[in-house]
Amino acid sequence: MMISLIIAVTINNSLIFLVEISNAWEWDVLRNVYPYFMTPLFIGIFIFTFLGLTRRIVKDLINLENGLQIISEGNLTHRVDVHRKDELGRVAYNINLMAERLQRQIEKERELENSKMEMITGISHDLRTPLTSIIGYIELLRTNSFQNQDEYIRFVQNTYNKAIHLKKLLDDLFEYTRLTSIETRLDLKKIDVFQLLNQLLFEFEPIAQENSIHIVKEIGDSPVISLIDSEKIARAIDNLLMNALKYSVKPGAVCILMKSDNKQIKIEIENKGNSLTQEQQNKLFDRFYKVDHSRSSEGIQTGAGLGLSIARNIVELHGGTLILNYKNNIFKFTLTLPLEENVNSKIVQ
């Protein structure tokens, strides 16, 4: 408005100056018409200049209005095309940023909803299988549908095994929901990780031998002290060991390596298994994901697909990491834990 006013005044004064230097005031017609002519001319020049200067601004405002209308109708992929560095440019930038964040939020909510449905489906499938077997065996026992004492004992043993399997599935589910809760608390104590790992391998070795798996361990022989929740870290390492046992080529070997420096402890669990696609690698830590649902794991009871997810949650709660390096059918899970108390803010002693 100020620029338009300055331009209009300048043109008006220029016309007056031209009239004065040309002695046009001596014309009676001009003296009679000029007072009525200058005011509309001034207003016209002002309006024309103002509209010319604000044309782009009005166009950008219309673009903003149209963009907001499209976004408000649900098209969150639309972006306002206004390239300015003034206030309107910042408004356009914030509108686009708002649309992008809303789009991400909606996509995240959809993923969570799909994840919940997959979770319910996975739980239903994994719990139904052993439960159906238990009901079947109990029905055989209830109706005395066994031929001799040996068959009776076999039915009872199978029922017991299925019940233990069902309990393990429920324990995994409970552990996962507890770990993903925002109120998760860790019982942190100074623990010798070497001794803990050595004890776990001692208990794991007989199971491995039964499944034609040779244990190769390089864990040193000196204490490695860290502030951890020993029960949960033991659960994480046990899950990794059982995962290696289930999906190793048999006969085969599982190699366990532990080393530490002044900042962290690193535990590596390596085994040879069947090939994986890139998509399977990306989903390996997802809850309820199993690489091959039809695989029997050679007699080892399969879980609900929560083992690796639980292990990663436990490690991350301790401020550590759990990653997979896969190459040429060799799986190497690397677990790192901090030696000092620079752990996740969720940890409460």
Side-chain angles (χ1 to χ4, degrees):
M1 290 181 66
M2 289 299 299
I3 294 175
S4 300
L5 178 62
I6 292 171
I7 293 174
V9 169
T10 301
I11 294 175
N12 187 64
N13 290 339
S14 299
L15 289 174
I16 294 174
F17 177 74
L18 290 174
V19 169
E20 288 179 348
I21 64 175
S22 62
N23 296 321
W25 286 116
E26 297 178 358
W27 304 345
D28 293 337
V29 176
L30 182 61
R31 285 200 305 269
N32 294 330
V33 174
Y34 187 80
Y36 302 100
F37 171 75
M38 287 306 296
T39 300
L41 178 64
F42 174 81
I43 296 173
I45 294 172
F46 174 80
I47 294 174
F48 179 80
T49 308
F50 180 78
L51 291 177
L53 293 174
T54 58
R55 181 180 179 182
R56 185 184 172 190
I57 296 175
V58 173
K59 181 180 178 181
D60 288 340
L61 283 173
I62 293 173
N63 287 337
L64 286 176
E65 180 189 6
N66 293 335
L68 282 172
Q69 180 66 29
I70 295 172
I71 293 172
S72 66
E73 291 173 354
N75 185 6
L76 296 179
T77 60
H78 180 76
R79 296 294 179 265
V80 178
D81 188 21
V82 176
H83 302 288
R84 302 174 65 97
K85 295 183 179 180
D86 56 6
E87 290 80 2
L88 283 180
R90 288 194 291 271
V91 170
Y93 172 79
N94 288 325
I95 290 174
N96 291 335
L97 184 62
M98 175 193 68
E100 183 178 350
R101 288 178 177 175
L102 285 174
Q103 185 180 6
R104 287 202 304 264
Q105 182 65 27
I106 291 176
E107 289 174 354
K108 184 177 180 181
E109 290 176 357
R110 287 175 181 169
E111 289 176 0
L112 288 175
E113 188 64 27
N114 292 334
S115 179
K116 288 179 183 178
M117 295 303 298
E118 291 175 2
M119 179 177 178
I120 293 172
T121 303
I123 292 173
S124 301
H125 176 271
D126 290 317
L127 297 183
R128 183 178 180 180
T129 302
L131 185 59
T132 301
S133 298
I134 291 172
I135 293 173
Y137 282 119
I138 291 177
E139 180 64 20
L140 292 174
L141 294 171
R142 188 180 68 85
T143 57
N144 295 323
S145 300
F146 50 88
Q147 297 178 357
N148 50 47
Q149 184 67 19
D150 290 340
E151 192 170 56
Y152 170 81
I153 293 174
R154 182 165 62 85
F155 286 174
V156 172
Q157 185 62 44
N158 288 342
T159 304
Y160 175 78
N161 291 339
K162 294 297 181 181
I164 294 298
H165 184 202
L166 183 60
K167 181 179 182 299
K168 184 181 184 305
L169 294 175
L170 292 171
D171 288 344
D172 284 347
L173 179 62
F174 175 74
E175 183 70 16
Y176 179 81
T177 54
R178 187 173 62 174
L179 287 171
T180 52
S181 170
I182 59 174
E183 298 180 356
T184 301
R185 297 291 183 268
L186 298 179
D187 182 17
L188 295 176
K189 295 179 182 178
K190 289 186 177 181
I191 301 295
D192 183 357
V193 180
F194 162 75
Q195 185 177 3
L196 175 65
L197 180 58
N198 196 42
Q199 179 64 30
L200 289 171
L201 293 176
F202 177 78
E203 297 171 358
F204 177 69
E205 196 160 5
I207 304 174
Q209 290 177 354
E210 290 177 5
N211 291 273
S212 303
I213 295 295
H214 176 61
I215 300 298
V216 179
K217 58 180 181 179
E218 300 178 14
I219 62 174
D221 56 6
S222 57
V224 181
I225 307 299
S226 182
L227 193 67
I228 62 173
D229 185 325
S230 59
E231 181 180 349
K232 285 185 170 54
I233 290 297
R235 176 70 180 272
I237 296 174
D238 184 67
N239 286 357
L240 293 174
L241 291 173
M242 290 305 298
N243 181 78
L245 180 62
K246 288 178 184 178
Y247 302 115
S248 286
V249 174
K250 300 176 180 63
V254 175
C255 303
I256 298 95
L257 170 74
M258 184 176 74
K259 53 187 176 181
S260 62
D261 52 29
N262 57 352
K263 292 183 178 180
Q264 66 181 12
I265 305 168
K266 181 181 291 185
I267 300 174
E268 295 178 354
I269 299 176
E270 181 179 311
N271 68 286
K272 184 176 182 180
N274 294 328
S275 61
L276 287 183
T277 64
Q278 187 61 48
E279 181 183 3
Q280 288 172 329
Q281 292 181 54
N282 295 336
K283 292 183 177 180
L284 207 57
F285 287 97
D286 290 354
R287 58 186 180 185
F288 299 105
Y289 180 75
K290 303 175 187 177
V291 173
D292 186 355
H293 290 281
S294 63
R295 186 182 300 177
S296 63
S297 299
E298 301 189 17
I300 303 172
Q301 289 181 334
T302 56
L306 288 170
L308 293 179
S309 181
I310 289 173
R312 172 171 276 185
N313 279 333
I314 289 174
V315 173
E316 289 179 349
L317 282 172
H318 283 79
T321 59
L322 176 59
I323 60 173
L324 167 66
N325 292 310
Y326 171 78
K327 186 177 182 180
N328 298 329
N329 294 359
I330 301 298
F331 296 78
K332 181 189 289 185
F333 288 91
T334 303
L335 182 158
T336 60
L337 292 171
L339 273 177
E340 301 177 358
E341 298 181 21
N342 54 339
V343 292
N344 195 298
S345 60
K346 289 185 178 181
I347 295 177
V348 178
Q349 299 187 28

